Amino acid sequence: MLLIRLHWLHDSSPGLLSQDIKGNVVSLSTHPYGCRVVQRVLEHCTINDAKEHVRNDILRSTALLATDQYGNYVIQHMLEHGPASARQEIIEKLHGQVVRLSQHKFASNVIEKCLQYGDSNSRLASVQEVLGSSDGESALQVMTKDQYANYVVQKMLEVCDDSQRQLLMTRITIFLNQLKKLTYGKHIVARVEKLLVAGNAAAAVQQAPQAAVAKKASASDEAARLLQSGPTEEDSSSTAAAAASFDQPAPTS
């Protein structure tokens, strides 16, 4: 009966659909078909009050849905397509749980979306949380070796700005050799090495024009010096020898 009802909802207009699911947003969001219905409402519903009601129900259950097999897709949808205010609220609700959720099969996908669609300040907060130490290994080190969290670290390296990326890479290089021996750590090693190569290439491109300008300036300086100093003693001797050769009488036959 539930499946029949859900199929009816999926084929209904977004307006009727949104009215029908009030009070059932969370339960629908955790259902394999229901989660698609909720996403459709968020995309196409034209009744603002109803849409806002659905959105608020989702926001109140952010942590629960983020760790759910199907609910995580609803949260990801909100992060990608929702208004900036809803996106920021989700990120704030998950703040302080980044390390733990990154090691979760479903929530790790949500954390990746938070990094991808959050602003620079929220990314910095996540980086600082990850760089914080725990007992024994650092949180970052734990994440680089985890089957799910290593993808979150890779996403950080991909979307963070240069200063945030440098913070991460500086810390990762400390235990980079250890990661080379680990199945999931190898993913991080490959990403870091790729970034290092790209960074070196970019530096070389930037330095090439500077080197050319410096070489040209050096040549100009040398030419100016020669003009100012006049002919050298060697040049004078060569000139005198050439003149003397013209003064010699031509040999007679």
Side-chain angles (χ1 to χ4, degrees):
M1 185 66 183
L2 175 60
L3 293 180
I4 295 174
R5 182 63 172 163
L6 288 174
H7 281 300
W8 179 85
L9 283 172
H10 194 274
D11 294 332
S12 300
S13 69
L16 292 174
L17 186 153
S18 60
Q19 294 292 332
D20 198 276
I21 68 173
K22 280 186 176 180
N24 299 299
V25 175
V26 175
S27 59
L28 284 170
S29 295
T30 57
H31 188 278
Y33 298 123
C35 69
R36 298 179 186 181
V37 172
V38 173
Q39 290 175 66
R40 187 182 176 201
V41 171
L42 293 173
E43 286 181 21
H44 303 295
C45 180
T46 57
I47 304 174
N48 290 332
D49 288 345
K51 189 173 184 177
E52 189 67 21
H53 177 88
V54 172
R55 187 181 293 133
N56 288 337
D57 277 2
I58 293 170
L59 291 173
R60 279 192 289 269
S61 303
T62 296
L64 170 66
L65 295 176
T67 56
D68 183 78
Q69 182 178 2
Y70 303 108
N72 79 91
Y73 292 113
V74 175
I75 300 298
Q76 288 186 63
H77 187 279
M78 286 267 285
L79 287 166
E80 188 171 353
H81 302 289
S85 58
R87 185 183 306 124
Q88 188 60 34
E89 185 171 345
I90 290 172
I91 292 172
E92 289 176 357
K93 284 178 178 293
L94 300 180
H95 180 65
Q97 305 178 68
V98 171
V99 176
R100 179 179 67 82
L101 294 177
S102 294
Q103 298 173 73
H104 190 280
K105 181 177 182 179
F106 307 121
S108 60
N109 297 313
V110 172
I111 298 300
E112 285 190 52
K113 281 292 194 296
C114 288
L115 292 167
Q116 184 173 353
Y117 294 102
D119 58 23
S120 181
N121 289 333
S122 64
R123 290 193 194 110
L124 178 58
S126 296
V127 169
Q128 291 174 335
E129 182 178 340
V130 167
L131 290 177
S133 297
S134 58
D135 294 335
E137 293 181 313
S138 68
L140 177 61
Q141 192 169 359
V142 170
M143 290 175 65
T144 56
K145 297 187 293 185
D146 184 79
Q147 60 179 326
Y148 305 119
N150 83 87
Y151 291 104
V152 174
V153 177
Q154 290 183 62
K155 181 60 71 173
M156 284 184 170
L157 292 171
E158 176 188 338
V159 302
C160 284
D161 62 33
D162 291 341
S163 61
Q164 295 166 2
R165 187 179 298 108
Q166 190 59 46
L167 287 172
L168 289 166
M169 290 183 64
T170 299
R171 188 70 65 86
I172 290 173
T173 52
I174 296 174
F175 48 86
L176 195 63
N177 287 332
Q178 299 175 32
L179 295 178
K180 293 178 180 179
K181 304 173 185 178
L182 303 172
T183 301
Y184 303 113
K186 291 177 182 177
H187 300 319
I188 302 296
V189 173
R191 173 71 68 172
V192 169
E193 290 179 343
K194 184 177 180 180
L195 288 170
L196 289 173
V197 170
N200 291 336
V205 169
Q206 290 178 348
Q207 291 172 3
Q210 297 174 357
V213 170
K215 184 176 181 180
K216 184 176 180 180
S218 178
S220 299
D221 292 344
E222 180 64 16
R225 185 187 68 76
L226 291 173
L227 288 173
Q228 291 176 357
S229 61
T232 62
E233 184 178 343
E234 182 179 351
D235 292 336
S236 299
S237 299
S238 299
T239 302
S245 66
F246 282 107
D247 293 336
Q248 296 293 327
T252 58
S253 54

